[in-house]
Amino acid sequence: MANLPGINKLNNKTAFLWLATASLSFASSAYAAANIEVSPKATQLARDALIVDTHIDVPYRIEDSYADVTKATKDGDFDYPRASRGGLDAAFMSVYIPAEYEKKGGSIALADRLIDRVEAMVGRAPEKFALAYSTQDMLDNQKAGKISLPMGMENGTPIEGNMENLKYFYDRGIRYITLAHSKSNHISDSSYSEDKPHQGLSDFGKKLITEMNNIGMMIDISHVSDQAFYDVMAVTKAPVIASHSSLRHFTPGWERNMDDKMLQALKKNGGVIQINFGSAFIHEEANGYNNKRKAAVAAYKKAHPKASEQDVKGFEVKYKKENPYPYASLDQVLDHFDYAVKLIGIDHVGVGSDYDGVGDSLPENLKDVASYPALVQGLLNRGYSETDIRKILGDNLLRVWQAVESYGEKH
């Protein structure tokens, strides 16, 4: 789940405009997604390769508005039929904890409830889905033709300052923790917070990194402040992931994305950046869209102090019609892959789409989990080899997760 300047949904997934599935039409040998023609080669590679998407926000989506994703759904970005068509092998289910739970309490209960929902998905369709507590589980599930549902916790608030809770959630299946989300918490400062109370990681956060290493749990540095990132780099003994981040080079000044220096530190650590597909992560115009819209509404209100609420809404509708949201293109998403690969190498880049977490802001050709073949086609068109594409789709994440497991087994 990502907070976007282009989509006003801070801690409010109820406002999502879930995307329809009719944007893709399928044929026996290839399918057309918007304006890209996906070849049989790309379709087959998507089927054969291990595809691991490290951030999909299904649990909170169905907590807020229930849908049975073991079957086709009219809304959202993920369900079994589309995931199967897209060749997805492992979808990390995001156990998303809104930032306000840090103060109001109840985060453990919410996390348990969302984990229960993932387990229930598998229970309803054990021939389609399977839990994955390890890399071996994931590979075994792939061989059995099942989609793995490993889990990551987005926002470490449920740890509640107690290392016993880390072990509890590991035992429940959590395999990575995004240390903070839209506000700083007791573990880490957030990239979104103006206040940075810890100036990086808290003292507890630094101890948590060591314990996560020792237990064999991946550390996710998406959402944390720059200083918190460097604190993690200084403490961790195992590779880390950015489960759903993109590149600041294309969104200058936006701390939520990673800059070049951070990417180089990630390479030295042996970690991987999983590229987020949300349009606001991809290009500057989408990144600033919502701020411009808010400024226009504020200017209208100032110029029309007696305007009714209906008048203001009418202005907003007119503004959006005249200034439509600037969706990213597949080519712009591919630019992020190209830039990262050239800067830090093919072994450190992967896929963390943020499906079901970025609302109606997904790029053309990448509207849901049926779209991975379009990504593959784009990479083929840019000259990537099949081996390199396999690394991006899942092998790089597999390597990192295996390294984290190995470190945990030795400590």
Side-chain angles (χ1 to χ4, degrees):
M1 169 62 185
N3 298 105
L4 306 179
I7 298 291
N8 183 21
K9 59 181 185 56
L10 186 64
N11 293 328
N12 181 11
K13 298 191 179 181
T14 63
F16 282 4
L17 298 175
W18 301 111
L19 300 171
T21 65
S23 60
L24 299 179
S25 60
F26 294 85
S28 58
S29 61
Y31 67 86
N35 295 320
I36 188 169
E37 184 69 23
V38 179
S39 66
K41 179 179 179 179
T43 302
Q44 191 63 47
L45 182 53
R47 288 178 183 150
D48 294 343
L50 174 69
I51 299 182
V52 184
D53 192 323
T54 46
H55 200 87
I56 298 181
D57 274 288
V58 170
Y60 201 91
R61 165 194 162 195
I62 62 176
E63 170 77 3
D64 187 57
S65 180
Y66 180 75
D68 183 359
V69 296
T70 67
K71 305 174 182 177
T73 59
K74 68 175 182 177
D75 297 323
D77 309 328
F78 175 97
D79 56 39
Y80 177 79
R82 285 180 284 170
S84 181
R85 289 197 298 265
L88 181 59
D89 295 294
F92 271 83
M93 296 285 100
S94 174
V95 176
Y96 165 67
I97 310 298
E100 64 262 25
Y101 280 79
E102 179 77 12
K103 291 185 177 180
K104 78 177 187 179
S107 63
I108 292 177
L110 175 58
D112 275 333
R113 198 160 65 244
L114 297 181
I115 293 169
D116 289 345
R117 288 201 174 277
V118 178
E119 292 175 343
M121 289 164 56
V122 174
R124 282 193 301 275
E127 75 286 359
K128 299 176 180 176
F129 294 126
L131 297 167
Y133 301 120
S134 67
T135 54
Q136 191 59 55
D137 286 346
M138 182 171 66
L139 295 173
D140 289 345
N141 293 338
Q142 182 190 26
K143 289 179 182 178
K146 298 179 182 181
I147 296 174
S148 290
L149 301 180
M151 290 179 281
M153 179 182 287
E154 187 176 22
N155 185 3
T157 283
I159 301 302
E160 293 190 350
N162 185 345
M163 292 299 179
E164 291 182 3
N165 288 334
L166 176 66
K167 178 63 163 57
Y168 172 77
F169 283 113
Y170 181 88
D171 289 343
R172 288 228 60 189
I174 297 297
R175 288 300 177 267
Y176 76 69
I177 295 177
T178 314
L179 301 177
H181 190 249
S182 59
K183 295 181 181 178
S184 301
N185 61 16
H186 70 284
I187 297 168
S188 174
D189 291 335
S190 166
S191 63
Y192 289 111
S193 290
E194 292 184 6
D195 63 315
K196 304 280 198 287
H198 311 299
Q199 292 302 298
L201 292 179
S202 69
D203 290 341
F204 175 81
K206 293 173 183 177
K207 294 176 183 177
L208 182 68
I209 297 305
T210 297
E211 290 305 310
M212 289 176 71
N213 283 168
N214 291 344
I215 205 172
M217 185 183 288
M218 289 183 285
I219 298 157
D220 178 19
I221 54 78
S222 291
H223 280 288
V224 305
S225 69
D226 286 5
Q227 187 54 55
F229 166 82
Y230 287 112
D231 285 352
V232 170
M233 293 295 100
V235 175
T236 185
K237 303 299 182 184
V240 308
I241 66 171
S243 73
H244 59 306
S245 295
S246 297
L247 309 185
R248 203 177 302 175
H249 173 82
F250 298 96
T251 57
W254 195 41
E255 192 174 358
R256 175 63 180 84
N257 272 347
M258 297 182 71
D259 68 19
D260 289 7
K261 184 179 177 182
M262 296 167 76
L263 290 170
Q264 289 163 342
L266 185 72
K267 175 182 179 178
K268 185 176 180 181
N269 161 265
V272 62
I273 178 172
Q274 305 286 103
I275 300 298
N276 189 313
F277 292 170
S279 291
F281 287 79
I282 300 303
H283 70 100
E284 197 169 9
E285 186 181 359
N287 191 268
Y289 177 83
N290 205 46
N291 288 336
K292 290 182 179 180
R293 180 189 59 78
K294 286 181 177 179
V297 172
Y300 175 82
K301 288 180 177 179
K302 185 176 181 180
H304 303 85
K306 295 183 179 180
S308 66
E309 184 177 344
Q310 186 175 356
D311 290 336
V312 174
K313 287 182 179 179
F315 171 81
E316 226 174 331
V317 169
K318 183 173 181 288
Y319 178 89
K320 291 177 180 178
K321 185 176 181 180
E322 295 176 351
N323 303 273
Y325 184 75
Y327 293 99
S329 67
L330 173 58
D331 274 336
Q332 288 173 315
V333 175
L334 292 167
D335 288 344
H336 284 251
F337 285 94
D338 279 353
Y339 189 92
V341 167
K342 288 174 183 176
L343 183 68
I344 61 174
I346 192 67
D347 295 326
H348 303 282
V349 186
V351 175
S353 64
D354 214 349
Y355 281 134
D356 278 332
V358 288
D360 185 18
S361 76
L362 289 161
E364 299 167 2
N365 304 303
L366 294 174
K367 291 298 188 182
D368 60 25
V369 291
S371 303
Y372 302 107
L375 177 66
V376 172
Q377 185 65 58
L379 292 168
L380 287 170
N381 291 349
R382 293 200 176 198
Y384 286 82
S385 69
E386 290 191 22
T387 297
D388 286 350
I389 292 172
R390 286 175 181 271
K391 287 184 176 184
I392 288 171
L393 293 177
D395 288 354
N396 289 337
L397 188 282
L398 175 65
R399 171 187 59 80
V400 170
W401 191 1
Q402 286 174 332
V404 171
E405 288 177 329
S406 179
Y407 186 91
E409 289 168 0
K410 297 174 183 177
H411 294 83

